[in-house]
Amino acid sequence: MKNLLLIIFILSVNLGCRKETDSVIEDDVITRWNLIAKYNFTGDGSGDFIALNSNKNIEFLKSGKVRSNGNLCNFDPDTDVPTEATQSIKNSDIILNPINCPGINLHVLFIASDTMDIYYPCIEGCIMRFKKIK
């Protein structure tokens, strides 16, 4: 009986001392996307995508949240400010609402099963193209 109580005590102390982390468990990630191109507006109504070599990624999580290792609030390929967003559906469109960026709504368009465009609010046509990471 004493041994059983000792085992229960050791287990409860061990479990009570575990450090909690804010990281998302890998199983929570549904899909990962890497930034591969940015739309280049020429000013005359034409434009094209320009390939980028960026480490900016976006992850869609089972919880419905979205996170990025870069700033989703602006049209920038850098990875200096990680951000999160919520997602919603409006008129069959997927909308990302970056947290801490009031009034910013990003429209998501899947142009292929492994390619996604994110439209930023601007006059010139601000689009970032992402490729699904296998």
Side-chain angles (χ1 to χ4, degrees), residues 16 22 30 83 88-89 93 99 111-112 122:
D22 292 334
I30 296 173
T83 55
S88 60
I89 297 177
D93 292 333
I99 297 171
I111 59 173
C122 71

Side-chain angles (χ1 to χ4, degrees), residues 49-67:
F49 283 93
I50 298 205
L52 295 173
N53 187 12
S54 174
N55 292 322
K56 187 172 188 174
N57 293 325
I58 293 180
E59 297 177 330
F60 288 83
L61 307 177
K62 287 181 184 175
S63 65
K65 292 195 178 200
V66 178
R67 70 178 178 189

Side-chain angles (χ1 to χ4, degrees), residues 107-132:
H107 295 264
V108 177
L109 178 64
F110 293 96
I111 59 173
S113 63
D114 65 344
T115 309
M116 167 182 75
D117 286 349
I118 296 183
Y119 289 77
Y120 280 78
C122 71
I123 297 169
E124 298 87 15
C126 300
I127 307 166
M128 289 189 155
R129 180 159 287 168
F130 291 81
K131 193 82 162 166
K132 186 186 274 187

Side-chain angles (χ1 to χ4, degrees), residues 7-77:
I7 291 171
I8 292 172
F9 173 75
I10 291 172
L11 284 174
S12 63
V13 168
N14 186 22
L15 293 174
C17 294
R18 283 190 180 171
K19 183 179 177 183
E20 291 188 33
T21 62
D22 292 334
S23 64
V24 176
I25 298 171
E26 190 67 23
D27 292 342
D28 288 344
V29 177
I30 296 173
T31 57
R32 276 193 181 97
W33 302 81
N34 176 250
L35 178 63
I36 60 167
K38 188 175 177 180
Y39 187 76
N40 183 36
F41 178 71
T42 58
D44 63 359
S46 65
D48 201 1
F49 283 93
I50 298 205
L52 295 173
N53 187 12
S54 174
N55 292 322
K56 187 172 188 174
N57 293 325
I58 293 180
E59 297 177 330
F60 288 83
L61 307 177
K62 287 181 184 175
S63 65
K65 292 195 178 200
V66 178
R67 70 178 178 189
S68 176
N69 63 346
N71 193 342
L72 291 173
C73 299
N74 58 39
F75 187 63
D76 190 350

